[in-house]
Amino acid sequence: MSIWELLLAFVLVLLMLVALLANVLVLMCFLYSADIRKQVPGLFILNLTFCNLLMAVSSMPLTLAGIIYRSQPGGDQVCHAVGFLETFLTTNSMLSMAALSIDRWIAVVFPLSYHSKMRYRDAALILSYTWVHSASFPTVAASLSWLGFHHLYASCTLYNKRPEDRTQFVIFTGVFHALSFLLSLVVLCFTYLKVLKVARFHCKRIDVITMQTLVLLVDIHPSVRERCLEEQRRRRQRATKKISTFIGTFILCFAPYVITRLVELSSVVHINSHWGIISKCLAYSKAVSDPFVYSLLRHQYRKTWKDIINKILKRSSINSSALAGEPHSQNLPQLNE
């Protein structure tokens, strides 16, 4: 192995471990907290978490083996199954993020009618569509034998080995990325920009009220006035940062891989194998960022995880105190005798 391959293998191992740990933490919070389970977005986050976990235990290890051995890991049937699963999980993850953005859009833009427009039944219907949509493309690819080990990405994925199917495969790949990556990106941009517009409108209203209050309070201390103005600036930046994170991580992780797949279809441009693996690792890194972007950094999940830790520590302290008191309790009958 070259130093580049060794470095890429190390990065992939790190991504795999962090993805497993972070997504398991999200799953534990979901199982522990009844409040999280009651919320409709919890279904989308749960679906996204399962996709990331399956990606971390199926596709990532085989890509790691492909980097190390520079050849197809396992037999053709295993590679075809993993290629099918990877295509399904990637598409499902993208559509789950789009579903989360639609949920936020309805909650912010139509707050009074949110509970009637986004119920558990509606969320289940959306998830059913994402599953059917995600399964259709790998099913077609499997029926046409367009799944296999791709040396450029060192992974089992969409791959056409027959030159006579080149035109059909190019059309299929273009349609696949248009209805997965591009569709999800358009939905993300539309919904979150609408949310940002509403958030800025509310910030302006709050700023007007704050400034009117500061003008009326003539004797207010300068430090208090400065803190109010600083809070105004933070309020304006908070929504922009969150939405930039949602859209930015999606583009940063998926766009290099999708563009590489599309450029690869042209026989004119030569793509370096190291870049192919790097773009694949960037796509895998979405399974690492999703738990933090959508769950673990939110107040409700942080509070739930603190409750879990406190419960574990309290239980261990009770057990240790019970063990410490056990010899003393055993000596009591002897003292009474």
Side-chain angles (χ1 to χ4, degrees):
M1 290 180 65
S2 64
I3 185 66
W4 267 103
E5 292 171 342
L6 188 63
L7 181 61
L8 290 172
F10 173 76
V11 170
L12 188 55
V13 170
L14 190 63
L15 290 174
M16 187 165 48
L17 293 177
V18 177
L20 281 172
L21 178 61
N23 285 282
V24 166
L25 291 179
V26 175
L27 188 59
M28 289 176 63
C29 290
F30 184 87
L31 295 175
Y32 181 83
S33 175
D35 292 334
I36 294 177
R37 292 195 301 272
K38 290 178 183 177
Q39 297 175 357
V40 174
L43 290 178
F44 301 133
I45 293 176
L46 181 64
N47 185 65
L48 183 61
T49 301
F50 273 120
C51 289
N52 292 334
L53 281 173
L54 287 174
M55 185 73 75
V57 300
S58 61
S59 185
M60 288 188 188
L62 259 71
T63 301
L64 177 63
I67 295 173
I68 295 173
Y69 297 108
R70 303 179 185 177
S71 61
Q72 175 179 315
D76 289 337
Q77 292 183 348
V78 173
C79 192
H80 292 166
V82 172
F84 182 98
L85 192 60
E86 187 226 26
T87 307
F88 170 80
L89 294 175
T90 303
T91 308
N92 204 339
S93 299
M94 293 180 182
L95 295 176
S96 296
M97 295 170 214
L100 281 167
S101 70
I102 293 173
D103 176 83
R104 287 298 87 204
W105 171 56
I106 297 174
V108 173
V109 180
F110 309 102
L112 298 179
S113 58
Y114 171 76
H115 292 291
S116 62
K117 291 183 177 181
M118 188 59 72
R119 296 164 294 182
Y120 263 93
R121 184 181 65 184
D122 302 317
L125 288 174
I126 294 174
L127 283 181
S128 300
Y129 168 76
T130 62
W131 277 66
V132 173
H133 184 131
S134 303
S136 60
F137 287 98
T139 301
V140 173
S143 64
L144 296 174
S145 300
W146 287 346
L147 295 171
F149 181 76
H150 203 316
H151 287 274
L152 180 61
Y153 309 101
S155 62
C156 297
T157 182
L158 293 175
Y159 185 49
N160 175 37
K161 297 180 181 179
R162 299 193 298 268
E164 61 271 17
D165 292 346
R166 174 178 170 77
T167 304
Q168 295 91 326
F169 184 73
V170 169
I171 296 173
F172 172 82
T173 305
V175 173
F176 167 64
H177 290 301
L179 294 179
S180 57
F181 172 78
L182 186 59
L183 176 63
S184 301
L185 180 60
V186 169
V187 172
L188 284 171
C189 292
F190 173 81
T191 52
Y192 281 131
L193 289 178
K194 290 290 185 181
V195 170
L196 181 60
K197 183 179 179 180
V198 174
R200 286 179 174 176
F201 174 75
H202 287 302
C203 285
K204 287 181 180 179
R205 292 181 60 185
I206 296 172
D207 291 346
V208 170
I209 296 172
T210 303
M211 293 305 297
Q212 291 175 348
T213 305
L214 292 177
V215 170
L216 292 174
L217 297 174
V218 181
D219 298 332
I220 191 172
H221 195 274
S223 62
V224 178
R225 183 186 298 271
E226 184 62 30
R227 282 201 299 270
C228 292
L229 295 175
E230 180 64 25
E231 181 60 29
Q232 282 185 358
R233 289 191 289 269
R234 290 179 181 176
R235 193 184 300 114
R236 287 194 295 266
Q237 295 173 357
R238 195 174 296 129
T240 305
K241 287 181 179 179
K242 286 184 178 180
I243 291 172
S244 300
T245 302
F246 292 145
I247 300 176
T249 53
F250 185 88
I251 295 174
L252 179 64
C253 294
F254 287 128
Y257 177 67
V258 172
I259 293 173
T260 304
R261 294 298 312 236
L262 295 175
V263 171
E264 175 206 345
L265 299 175
S266 172
S267 57
V268 178
V269 181
H270 173 73
I271 301 175
N272 186 275
S273 60
H274 292 153
W275 169 250
I277 299 174
I278 290 172
S279 66
K280 192 69 176 178
C281 290
L282 283 173
Y284 286 149
S285 66
K286 198 69 177 72
V288 177
S289 65
D290 284 344
F292 299 98
V293 171
Y294 291 101
S295 305
L296 295 178
L297 296 181
R298 290 173 54 192
H299 173 73
Q300 189 176 26
Y301 281 83
R302 293 203 308 267
K303 181 180 180 299
T304 301
W305 185 236
K306 288 179 182 178
D307 293 341
I308 294 174
I309 293 176
N310 291 333
K311 187 175 181 179
I312 294 173
L313 293 177
K314 184 178 179 180
R315 182 177 297 176
S316 62
S317 64
I318 292 175
N319 291 337
S320 60
S321 61
L323 290 173
E326 186 175 342
H328 178 70
S329 62
Q330 290 177 355
N331 290 332
L332 286 178
Q334 296 177 1
L335 292 174
N336 291 334
E337 290 176 0

